[in-house]
Amino acid sequence: MRILVVEDEEGLAESLRRGLSADGHRVDVAHDGHRGLDLALAGGPYDVVLLDLMLPGPGGHEICTRMRAHGDTTPVLMLTARDGEHDEAEGLDSGADDYLTKPFSFMVLAARIRALARRAGTPDRGTLQAGDLVLDPQGRRCRRGDRDIELTARELGVLACLMEQPGRAVAKQDILDEVWETPHGIDPNIVEVYVSSLRKKIDAPFGRRSIRTVHGTGYRMAPDGG
């Protein structure tokens, strides 16, 4: 794979470059937000982008937002020394696909990268529909009516998991097992963050409530999309 690493801690950036290169990947590195943004928008195409949250110049959130605004759907893994649901939600809102808190093991990072790359090239699962909400997992496209909706790879996976079982309650753990590459040890409540992000994109702007909470279980997709 071709991977872009945007990380201002030069020691960590070099460690990531060496480790990823040893795994057979081609790696470009930027140590500030301006260079990172230039490479992300014009230096690719990349298979995965690793973005530090706090950078000199534009931060990881801004870079990710700019990528998505340019129609770039490259999977983004956000790296940060900060922790907490608020920070992860902010990363998701900017278009990131996954979130990894420092310090992390290289083994976990490598597994996350492989998972993102696989999701970006998942086999055709067929077009899914719930009312006027249409999801094409293979093409990574979602729309409600005639309006396109931008989703991250993780959001797409969660939505597909629900739309494949319209009207049925899907447990948080089942969503975690289906969408996350390494679900063991992850709090199933993290699914709430992604569902909240999805609701802001596919429901709130349209006055809909297609993703319903099933208390004590998880979530279900209204078959009519409304």
Side-chain angles (χ1 to χ4, degrees):
M1 288 187 286
R2 190 175 181 202
I3 299 173
L4 172 62
V5 175
V6 187
E7 169 59 63
D8 65 326
E9 295 180 37
E10 295 191 14
L12 175 58
E14 177 60 17
S15 176
L16 292 175
R17 187 196 65 77
R18 289 198 307 265
L20 293 170
S21 297
D23 279 351
H25 305 299
R26 291 179 296 158
V27 184
D28 291 336
V29 176
H31 297 301
D32 64 78
H34 293 293
R35 178 59 175 163
L37 181 60
D38 288 344
L39 285 174
L41 296 181
Y46 293 102
D47 296 291
V48 176
V49 175
L50 308 185
L51 273 181
D52 187 28
L53 182 64
M54 305 297 292
L55 294 163
H61 289 152
E62 183 177 347
I63 293 173
C64 191
T65 298
R66 293 278 295 276
M67 289 174 61
R68 299 314 186 214
H70 279 75
D72 189 337
T73 60
T74 302
V76 170
L77 175 59
M78 200 77 79
L79 306 177
T80 178
R82 298 161 61 182
D83 195 6
E85 290 186 355
H86 175 76
D87 296 321
E88 181 157 356
E90 189 176 358
L92 294 173
D93 286 341
S94 71
D97 297 280
D98 204 355
Y99 193 96
L100 192 57
T101 303
K102 302 174 185 177
F104 50 80
S105 76
F106 184 80
M107 183 180 299
V108 170
L109 174 71
R112 297 283 188 92
I113 290 173
R114 291 193 299 270
L116 287 175
R118 278 197 297 272
R119 283 189 208 105
T122 51
D124 190 358
R125 298 165 75 176
T127 300
L128 303 170
Q129 186 163 1
D132 64 348
L133 180 68
V134 178
L135 178 67
D136 174 9
Q138 174 67 14
R140 290 172 55 89
R141 296 189 62 185
C142 179
R143 72 175 189 274
R144 189 180 282 283
D146 58 358
R147 288 178 56 182
D148 289 335
I149 302 170
E150 289 291 333
L151 298 180
T152 68
R154 185 64 57 77
E155 290 168 347
L156 187 148
V158 172
L159 183 58
C161 191
L162 294 171
M163 292 184 70
E164 286 173 340
Q165 304 180 66
R168 295 184 57 187
V170 183
K172 292 178 185 177
Q173 187 63 54
D174 290 341
I175 296 173
L176 199 66
D177 291 342
E178 173 70 21
V179 180
W180 272 254
E181 174 66 17
T182 53
H184 301 296
I186 300 177
D187 186 344
N189 287 328
I190 192 61
V191 175
E192 294 177 10
V193 175
Y194 290 86
V195 168
S196 175
S197 182
L198 279 170
R199 284 170 168 162
K200 292 176 183 176
K201 293 183 177 183
I202 70 171
D203 282 347
F206 305 92
R208 304 296 184 87
R209 289 184 59 249
S210 60
I211 301 180
R212 310 291 178 84
T213 298
V214 182
H215 295 291
T217 303
Y219 304 94
R220 67 177 177 85
M221 173 65 64
D224 61 359

